[in-house]
Amino acid sequence: MTLALLFPGQGSQSVGMGVALADAFASAREVYAEIDDALGQKLALLMREGPEDQLTLTENAQPALMAVSLAAVRVLKVEFDIDVSRAALVAGHSLGEYSALCAAGALSLADTARLLKLRGQAMQRAVPVGAGAMASLIGPKTDLALAEAAAKAGSEVGVCVVANDNNAGNIVISGDKAAVDRAIEKAKELGARAIPLNVSAPFHCPLMQRAADEMAEALSGATLLGPRVPVVANVTARPETDPETIRRLLVEQVTGRVRWRESMEWMAGEGGITRFAEIGSGKVLTGMAKRIAPDAESVALNTPEDLEAFAKSFN
């Protein structure tokens, strides 16, 4: 089977995530300790005990989700001798792209943690709380054309764009609150359900330009190597290996669309992937994979038992 590793994005966090890995494996605890040292905070304790409102803060959720993913990657390598290089491709949803790059050796663990902490803070600073909004358009009639039409209606009163093209039936719009409200009305007229999202900022839209500028400065000083496994970028939905191209695309990703459906379709088609494994917290990407690429195998690797079973499948 040709394998791709997937790394989850914001929304997959929950109090207690990654605790079973830490309790079972010293290698996972070492990852959490390295990240705590890099950030100068007790992130592992926050993941274990909460409170949930602090873990959900963007500046904490982003490095925390990365921490669980990289702990699982470390466990696979140290305990089961399964290296990331066994995969043909890696990809991550939004912040998960940083996890993918770290797993593939393009970024160090400490740098990844610091970049994600800054990314979360910068995204929060970019727009005053309450000024922006996001909404999920869902249902069998929801496709990219419908979402684009809804966003166009919203853009008559402010910034409104498609932020996440997750899969058919699940597309997220983002922008000024008034514009998103107008887009929600239009989406309902067109036959979609629209659910406002409980987010602290309008991610992946032009309102995030200030955050993109901050990330451009931070990334310019970060050491970024060629990944050992090609990384399918959110912005291009294609595999990338050139460090400078990756650096530029990470900046563009802050304001740009997460082209996840296209990424998955490419991997399952031209990429030849027949097995997707989501590494980290939750099963969001696994669900999407089953809808986008139903002929491929899709598994979520959350627990020690998941990792052990996955490792045995290679024998």
Side-chain angles (χ1 to χ4, degrees):
M1 283 187 154
T2 306
L3 174 69
L5 302 179
L6 308 179
F7 295 85
Q10 203 160 340
S12 292
Q13 70 276 356
S14 62
V15 174
M17 67 180 189
V19 170
L21 294 179
D23 289 347
F25 302 111
S27 52
R29 294 193 294 275
E30 289 168 4
V31 169
Y32 297 158
E34 289 174 40
I35 292 172
D36 278 359
D37 288 345
L39 297 180
Q41 73 174 108
K42 295 180 179 179
L43 186 64
L45 183 63
L46 180 62
M47 289 157 52
R48 180 180 286 270
E49 299 181 0
E52 185 174 4
D53 62 337
Q54 290 299 306
L55 180 62
T56 303
L57 286 175
T58 302
E59 66 176 87
N60 292 327
Q62 295 199 17
L65 285 162
M66 181 276 295
V68 179
S69 290
L70 271 296
V73 168
R74 182 82 62 88
V75 168
L76 281 174
K77 173 63 176 174
V78 173
E79 312 295 338
F80 301 109
D81 196 30
I82 303 294
D83 189 76
V84 169
S85 62
R86 301 284 287 271
L89 296 165
V90 296
H93 192 284
S94 191
L95 81 89
E97 191 167 327
Y98 285 80
S99 304
L101 287 164
C102 184
L107 286 168
S108 72
L109 184 63
D111 279 352
T112 306
R114 287 189 286 261
L115 285 167
L116 284 175
K117 183 78 172 180
L118 173 62
R119 185 176 182 269
Q121 293 170 335
M123 293 172 107
Q124 189 62 68
R125 285 193 292 261
V127 179
V129 174
M134 299 182 77
S136 181
L137 310 183
I138 59 176
K141 292 186 177 181
T142 301
D143 59 14
L144 187 57
L146 183 150
E148 293 279 19
K152 183 178 179 181
S155 65
E156 294 173 4
V157 295
V159 171
C160 187
V161 300
V162 173
N164 300 349
D165 180 9
N166 289 327
N167 57 257
N170 178 3
I171 300 176
V172 177
I173 56 174
S174 179
D176 289 306
K177 186 177 187 311
V180 171
D181 288 344
R182 173 74 66 86
I184 287 174
E185 293 174 8
K186 182 65 174 179
K188 289 178 178 177
E189 288 177 15
L190 295 172
R193 289 177 58 203
I195 301 174
L197 298 180
N198 183 22
V199 294
S200 55
F203 305 135
H204 298 293
C205 82
L207 296 177
M208 289 284 108
Q209 186 57 51
R210 178 182 167 189
D213 294 341
E214 287 193 51
M215 290 310 298
E217 183 176 353
L219 284 161
S220 70
T223 298
L224 212 161
L225 307 175
R228 292 186 294 130
V229 178
V231 179
V232 178
N234 288 180
V235 172
T236 63
R238 293 295 183 272
E240 307 289 349
T241 56
D242 175 66
E244 294 314 308
T245 300
I246 292 170
R247 197 188 308 270
R248 173 176 57 80
L249 293 176
L250 287 175
V251 176
E252 292 181 16
Q253 187 219 59
V254 178
T255 57
R257 180 181 302 176
V258 176
R259 296 169 61 185
W260 192 253
R261 175 185 57 82
E262 294 175 73
S263 297
M264 292 293 296
E265 287 175 347
W266 187 90
M267 285 189 279
E270 290 182 54
I273 299 301
T274 56
R275 187 185 202 192
F276 293 99
E278 178 179 6
I279 298 192
S281 179
K283 300 180 180 181
V284 172
L285 300 184
T286 303
M288 291 182 190
K290 289 177 179 178
R291 288 187 286 273
I292 299 168
D295 293 335
E297 178 191 355
S298 300
V299 296
L301 307 182
N302 302 135
T303 66
E305 292 77 17
D306 292 337
L307 296 176
E308 184 174 2
F310 180 72
K312 285 181 179 178
S313 73
F314 282 89
N315 298 328

Coordinates of all heavy atoms in Angstrom, one line a residue, residues 172-240:
V172 N -16.0 26.0 4.5 CA -16.0 27.0 5.5 C -15.7 28.4 4.8 O -14.8 28.5 4.0 CB -14.9 26.8 6.6 CG1 -14.9 27.9 7.6 CG2 -15.2 25.4 7.3
I173 N -16.5 29.4 5.2 CA -16.3 30.7 4.7 C -15.8 31.6 5.9 O -16.0 31.3 7.0 CB -17.6 31.4 4.1 CG1 -18.7 31.3 5.1 CG2 -17.9 30.6 2.8 CD1 -20.0 32.0 4.6
S174 N -15.1 32.7 5.5 CA -14.5 33.5 6.5 C -14.4 35.0 6.1 O -14.4 35.3 4.9 CB -13.0 33.0 6.8 OG -12.4 33.8 7.7
G175 N -14.5 35.9 7.0 CA -14.4 37.3 6.7 C -15.0 38.2 7.8 O -15.1 37.9 8.9
D176 N -15.3 39.5 7.3 CA -16.0 40.4 8.2 C -17.3 39.8 8.7 O -18.0 39.1 7.9 CB -16.3 41.7 7.5 CG -15.1 42.5 7.2 OD1 -14.3 42.8 8.2 OD2 -14.8 42.9 6.1
K177 N -17.7 40.1 9.9 CA -18.9 39.4 10.5 C -20.2 39.8 9.7 O -21.0 38.9 9.4 CB -19.1 39.9 11.9 CG -20.3 39.1 12.6 CD -20.5 39.5 14.0 CE -21.5 38.5 14.7 NZ -22.8 38.4 13.9
A178 N -20.3 41.0 9.3 CA -21.5 41.4 8.5 C -21.5 40.7 7.2 O -22.6 40.2 6.7 CB -21.6 42.9 8.3
A179 N -20.4 40.5 6.6 CA -20.3 39.9 5.3 C -20.6 38.4 5.4 O -21.3 37.8 4.6 CB -18.9 40.1 4.7
V180 N -20.1 37.7 6.5 CA -20.3 36.3 6.7 C -21.8 36.1 7.0 O -22.4 35.1 6.5 CB -19.4 35.8 7.8 CG1 -19.9 34.3 8.2 CG2 -18.0 35.8 7.3
D181 N -22.4 37.0 7.7 CA -23.9 36.9 8.0 C -24.7 36.9 6.7 O -25.6 36.2 6.5 CB -24.3 38.0 9.0 CG -23.8 37.8 10.4 OD1 -23.4 36.7 10.7 OD2 -23.9 38.8 11.2
R182 N -24.3 37.9 5.8 CA -25.0 38.0 4.5 C -24.7 36.7 3.7 O -25.7 36.2 3.1 CB -24.4 39.2 3.7 CG -24.9 39.3 2.3 CD -26.4 39.8 2.2 NE -26.5 41.1 2.8 CZ -26.3 42.3 2.0 NH1 -26.0 42.2 0.7 NH2 -26.5 43.4 2.6
A183 N -23.5 36.2 3.7 CA -23.2 34.9 3.0 C -24.0 33.7 3.6 O -24.5 32.9 2.8 CB -21.7 34.6 3.1
I184 N -24.2 33.7 4.9 CA -25.0 32.6 5.5 C -26.5 32.7 4.9 O -27.0 31.6 4.6 CB -25.0 32.8 7.0 CG1 -23.7 32.4 7.6 CG2 -26.1 31.9 7.6 CD1 -23.5 32.6 9.1
E185 N -27.0 33.9 4.8 CA -28.4 34.0 4.3 C -28.4 33.5 2.8 O -29.4 32.8 2.5 CB -28.8 35.5 4.3 CG -29.0 36.1 5.7 CD -29.2 37.6 5.7 OE1 -29.5 38.1 4.6 OE2 -29.3 38.2 6.7
K186 N -27.4 33.9 2.0 CA -27.4 33.4 0.7 C -27.2 31.9 0.6 O -27.9 31.3 -0.3 CB -26.3 34.1 -0.1 CG -26.2 33.8 -1.6 CD -27.4 34.3 -2.3 CE -27.2 34.1 -3.8 NZ -28.4 34.5 -4.6
A187 N -26.4 31.4 1.4 CA -26.1 29.9 1.4 C -27.4 29.2 1.7 O -27.7 28.1 1.0 CB -25.0 29.5 2.4
K188 N -28.2 29.6 2.6 CA -29.4 29.0 3.0 C -30.4 29.1 1.8 O -31.2 28.1 1.5 CB -30.0 29.6 4.2 CG -29.2 29.3 5.5 CD -29.8 30.0 6.7 CE -29.1 29.6 8.0 NZ -29.6 30.3 9.2
E189 N -30.4 30.2 1.1 CA -31.3 30.4 -0.1 C -30.9 29.4 -1.1 O -31.8 28.8 -1.8 CB -31.1 31.8 -0.7 CG -31.8 32.9 0.2 CD -31.5 34.3 -0.5 OE1 -31.1 34.3 -1.7 OE2 -31.6 35.3 0.2
L190 N -29.6 29.0 -1.2 CA -29.2 28.1 -2.2 C -29.3 26.7 -1.8 O -29.0 25.8 -2.6 CB -27.7 28.4 -2.6 CG -27.5 29.8 -3.2 CD1 -26.0 30.1 -3.3 CD2 -28.1 29.9 -4.6
G191 N -29.7 26.4 -0.6 CA -30.0 25.0 -0.2 C -29.0 24.4 0.8 O -29.1 23.2 1.0
A192 N -28.1 25.2 1.3 CA -27.1 24.7 2.2 C -27.5 25.0 3.7 O -28.2 25.9 3.9 CB -25.7 25.3 2.0
R193 N -27.1 24.2 4.6 CA -27.1 24.5 6.0 C -25.9 25.4 6.3 O -24.8 25.1 5.8 CB -27.2 23.3 6.9 CG -28.5 22.5 6.8 CD -28.4 21.3 7.7 NE -28.1 21.6 9.1 CZ -27.5 20.7 9.9 NH1 -27.1 19.5 9.5 NH2 -27.3 21.1 11.2
A194 N -26.0 26.4 7.2 CA -24.9 27.2 7.6 C -24.8 27.3 9.1 O -25.8 27.7 9.7 CB -25.1 28.6 6.9
I195 N -23.7 27.0 9.6 CA -23.5 27.0 11.0 C -22.3 27.9 11.4 O -21.2 27.7 11.0 CB -23.1 25.6 11.5 CG1 -24.2 24.6 11.2 CG2 -22.9 25.6 13.1 CD1 -23.9 23.1 11.5
P196 N -22.6 29.1 12.1 CA -21.5 29.9 12.6 C -20.6 29.2 13.5 O -21.0 28.4 14.3 CB -22.3 31.0 13.3 CG -23.7 31.0 12.8 CD -24.0 29.5 12.5
L197 N -19.3 29.4 13.3 CA -18.3 28.6 14.0 C -17.8 29.5 15.2 O -17.7 30.7 15.2 CB -17.1 28.3 13.1 CG -17.3 27.4 11.9 CD1 -16.1 27.2 11.2 CD2 -18.0 26.1 12.4
N198 N -17.6 28.8 16.3 CA -17.1 29.4 17.6 C -15.6 29.6 17.5 O -14.8 28.8 18.1 CB -17.5 28.6 18.8 CG -17.1 29.3 20.1 OD1 -16.9 30.5 20.1 ND2 -17.0 28.5 21.1
V199 N -15.2 30.6 16.7 CA -13.7 30.9 16.6 C -13.4 32.3 17.0 O -14.3 33.1 17.1 CB -13.3 30.7 15.1 CG1 -13.4 29.2 14.6 CG2 -14.1 31.6 14.2
S200 N -12.1 32.5 17.3 CA -11.7 33.8 17.9 C -11.3 34.8 16.8 O -11.1 35.9 17.1 CB -10.6 33.6 18.9 OG -9.5 32.9 18.3
A201 N -11.2 34.3 15.6 CA -10.7 35.2 14.5 C -11.1 34.6 13.2 O -11.3 33.4 13.1 CB -9.2 35.4 14.6
P202 N -11.2 35.4 12.1 CA -11.6 34.9 10.8 C -10.3 34.4 10.0 O -9.6 35.1 9.3 CB -12.2 36.1 10.1 CG -11.4 37.3 10.7 CD -11.1 36.9 12.1
F203 N -10.0 33.1 10.2 CA -8.8 32.5 9.6 C -8.9 32.4 8.1 O -10.0 32.3 7.5 CB -8.5 31.2 10.3 CG -8.4 31.2 11.8 CD1 -9.1 30.2 12.5 CD2 -7.7 32.2 12.4 CE1 -9.0 30.3 13.9 CE2 -7.7 32.3 13.8 CZ -8.3 31.3 14.5
H204 N -7.7 32.3 7.5 CA -7.6 32.0 6.0 C -8.4 33.0 5.2 O -9.2 32.5 4.3 CB -8.0 30.6 5.8 CG -7.0 29.6 6.4 ND1 -5.7 29.5 6.1 CD2 -7.2 28.8 7.5 CE1 -5.1 28.6 6.9 NE2 -6.0 28.2 7.7
C205 N -8.3 34.3 5.5 CA -9.0 35.3 4.6 C -8.1 36.5 4.6 O -7.1 36.6 5.4 CB -10.4 35.6 5.1 SG -10.5 36.8 6.4
P206 N -8.3 37.5 3.7 CA -7.4 38.6 3.6 C -7.3 39.5 4.9 O -6.4 40.2 5.0 CB -8.1 39.5 2.5 CG -8.8 38.4 1.6 CD -9.3 37.4 2.6
L207 N -8.3 39.3 5.8 CA -8.2 40.1 7.1 C -7.0 39.6 7.9 O -6.6 40.3 8.8 CB -9.5 39.9 7.9 CG -10.8 40.5 7.2 CD1 -12.0 40.1 8.1 CD2 -10.6 42.0 7.0
M208 N -6.4 38.5 7.6 CA -5.3 37.9 8.3 C -3.9 38.5 7.7 O -2.9 37.9 8.1 CB -5.3 36.4 8.2 CG -6.4 35.7 9.0 SD -6.0 35.7 10.8 CE -7.2 36.9 11.3
Q209 N -3.9 39.5 6.9 CA -2.7 40.0 6.3 C -1.7 40.4 7.3 O -0.5 40.1 7.1 CB -3.0 41.1 5.3 CG -1.8 41.6 4.5 CD -1.2 40.4 3.7 OE1 -1.9 39.7 3.0 NE2 0.2 40.2 3.8
R210 N -2.1 41.0 8.4 CA -1.2 41.4 9.4 C -0.4 40.2 10.0 O 0.8 40.2 10.2 CB -1.9 42.2 10.5 CG -1.0 42.7 11.6 CD -1.8 43.4 12.7 NE -1.0 43.5 13.9 CZ -1.6 44.0 15.1 NH1 -2.8 44.3 15.1 NH2 -0.8 44.1 16.2
A211 N -1.2 39.1 10.2 CA -0.6 37.9 10.7 C 0.4 37.3 9.7 O 1.4 36.8 10.1 CB -1.7 36.9 11.1
A212 N 0.0 37.4 8.4 CA 0.9 36.9 7.4 C 2.2 37.6 7.4 O 3.3 37.0 7.2 CB 0.2 37.0 6.0
D213 N 2.1 38.9 7.6 CA 3.3 39.8 7.6 C 4.2 39.3 8.8 O 5.5 39.3 8.7 CB 3.0 41.2 7.7 CG 2.3 41.8 6.5 OD1 2.4 41.1 5.4 OD2 1.6 42.8 6.6
E214 N 3.6 39.1 9.9 CA 4.4 38.6 11.1 C 5.0 37.3 10.8 O 6.2 37.0 11.2 CB 3.5 38.6 12.3 CG 3.1 39.9 12.9 CD 2.5 39.8 14.3 OE1 3.1 39.1 15.2 OE2 1.4 40.3 14.5
M215 N 4.3 36.4 10.2 CA 4.8 35.1 9.9 C 6.0 35.1 8.9 O 6.9 34.4 8.9 CB 3.7 34.1 9.5 CG 2.8 33.7 10.6 SD 3.6 33.1 12.1 CE 4.4 31.7 11.5
A216 N 5.8 36.1 7.9 CA 6.9 36.2 6.9 C 8.2 36.6 7.6 O 9.3 36.0 7.3 CB 6.5 37.3 5.9
E217 N 8.1 37.5 8.6 CA 9.3 37.9 9.3 C 9.9 36.7 10.1 O 11.1 36.5 10.1 CB 9.0 39.1 10.2 CG 10.2 39.6 11.0 CD 9.9 40.8 11.8 OE1 8.8 41.4 11.7 OE2 10.8 41.3 12.5
A218 N 9.0 36.0 10.8 CA 9.4 34.9 11.7 C 10.0 33.8 10.8 O 11.1 33.2 11.1 CB 8.3 34.4 12.5
L219 N 9.4 33.4 9.7 CA 9.9 32.4 8.9 C 11.2 32.7 8.2 O 12.0 31.8 7.8 CB 8.8 32.0 7.8 CG 7.6 31.2 8.4 CD1 6.4 31.2 7.5 CD2 8.0 29.7 8.6
S220 N 11.4 34.0 7.9 CA 12.6 34.4 7.2 C 13.8 34.1 8.1 O 14.9 33.9 7.5 CB 12.6 35.9 6.9 OG 12.7 36.7 8.1
G221 N 13.7 34.0 9.4 CA 14.8 33.7 10.3 C 14.8 32.2 10.7 O 15.7 31.8 11.5
A222 N 13.9 31.4 10.3 CA 13.8 30.0 10.7 C 14.6 29.1 9.7 O 14.7 29.4 8.5 CB 12.4 29.5 10.7
T223 N 15.3 28.1 10.3 CA 16.0 27.2 9.4 C 15.0 26.2 8.8 O 14.3 25.5 9.6 CB 17.0 26.4 10.3 OG1 18.0 27.3 10.8 CG2 17.7 25.3 9.4
L224 N 14.9 26.1 7.5 CA 13.9 25.3 6.8 C 14.7 24.4 5.8 O 15.3 25.0 4.9 CB 12.8 26.1 6.2 CG 11.4 25.5 6.1 CD1 10.4 26.6 5.9 CD2 11.4 24.5 5.0
L225 N 14.7 23.1 6.0 CA 15.4 22.2 5.2 C 14.5 21.5 4.2 O 13.2 21.6 4.3 CB 16.1 21.1 6.0 CG 17.0 21.6 7.2 CD1 17.5 20.4 8.0 CD2 18.1 22.4 6.6
G226 N 15.0 20.9 3.2 CA 14.2 20.1 2.3 C 13.6 18.9 3.0 O 14.3 18.2 3.7
P227 N 12.3 18.7 3.0 CA 11.7 17.6 3.7 C 12.1 16.3 3.1 O 12.3 16.1 1.9 CB 10.2 17.8 3.5 CG 10.1 18.6 2.2 CD 11.3 19.5 2.2
R228 N 12.2 15.3 4.0 CA 12.6 13.9 3.5 C 11.5 13.2 2.7 O 11.7 12.3 2.0 CB 13.0 13.1 4.7 CG 14.3 13.5 5.4 CD 14.7 12.6 6.5 NE 13.7 12.6 7.6 CZ 13.2 11.5 8.1 NH1 13.5 10.3 7.6 NH2 12.4 11.5 9.2
V229 N 10.3 13.7 2.9 CA 9.1 13.2 2.2 C 8.4 14.5 1.7 O 8.2 15.5 2.4 CB 8.1 12.5 3.2 CG1 6.9 12.0 2.4 CG2 8.9 11.3 3.8
P230 N 7.9 14.5 0.4 CA 7.3 15.7 -0.1 C 6.0 16.0 0.7 O 5.3 15.1 1.2 CB 6.9 15.2 -1.5 CG 7.8 14.1 -1.9 CD 8.1 13.4 -0.6
V231 N 5.8 17.3 0.9 CA 4.7 17.8 1.7 C 3.7 18.5 0.7 O 4.0 19.4 0.0 CB 5.2 18.9 2.7 CG1 4.0 19.4 3.5 CG2 6.2 18.3 3.6
V232 N 2.5 18.0 0.8 CA 1.4 18.5 -0.1 C 0.9 19.8 0.6 O 0.4 19.8 1.7 CB 0.3 17.5 -0.3 CG1 -0.9 18.2 -1.1 CG2 0.8 16.3 -0.9
A233 N 1.2 20.9 -0.1 CA 0.9 22.3 0.5 C -0.6 22.6 0.4 O -1.2 22.3 -0.6 CB 1.7 23.3 -0.2
N234 N -1.1 23.3 1.5 CA -2.5 23.7 1.4 C -2.8 24.7 0.3 O -3.9 24.6 -0.3 CB -2.8 24.5 2.8 CG -3.0 23.6 4.0 OD1 -3.2 24.0 5.1 ND2 -2.7 22.3 3.8
V235 N -1.9 25.6 0.0 CA -2.1 26.6 -1.0 C -2.1 26.1 -2.4 O -2.9 26.6 -3.2 CB -1.0 27.7 -0.8 CG1 -1.1 28.8 -1.9 CG2 -1.2 28.4 0.5
T236 N -1.3 25.1 -2.7 CA -1.1 24.6 -4.1 C -1.8 23.3 -4.3 O -2.1 22.9 -5.4 CB 0.3 24.5 -4.5 OG1 0.9 23.5 -3.6 CG2 1.1 25.8 -4.4
A237 N -2.1 22.6 -3.2 CA -2.7 21.2 -3.3 C -1.8 20.3 -4.1 O -2.2 19.3 -4.8 CB -4.1 21.2 -3.9
R238 N -0.5 20.5 -4.1 CA 0.5 19.7 -4.8 C 1.7 19.5 -3.9 O 2.0 20.3 -3.0 CB 1.0 20.4 -6.1 CG -0.1 20.5 -7.1 CD -0.5 19.2 -7.7 NE -1.5 19.3 -8.7 CZ -2.8 19.3 -8.6 NH1 -3.3 19.3 -7.3 NH2 -3.6 19.4 -9.6
P239 N 2.5 18.5 -4.1 CA 3.7 18.2 -3.3 C 4.8 19.2 -3.5 O 5.1 19.6 -4.6 CB 4.1 16.8 -3.7 CG 3.6 16.6 -5.1 CD 2.3 17.4 -5.1
E240 N 5.4 19.6 -2.4 CA 6.5 20.6 -2.5 C 7.7 20.1 -1.7 O 7.5 19.4 -0.7 CB 6.1 22.0 -1.9 CG 4.8 22.6 -2.4 CD 4.9 23.1 -3.9 OE1 6.1 23.2 -4.3 OE2 3.9 23.4 -4.5

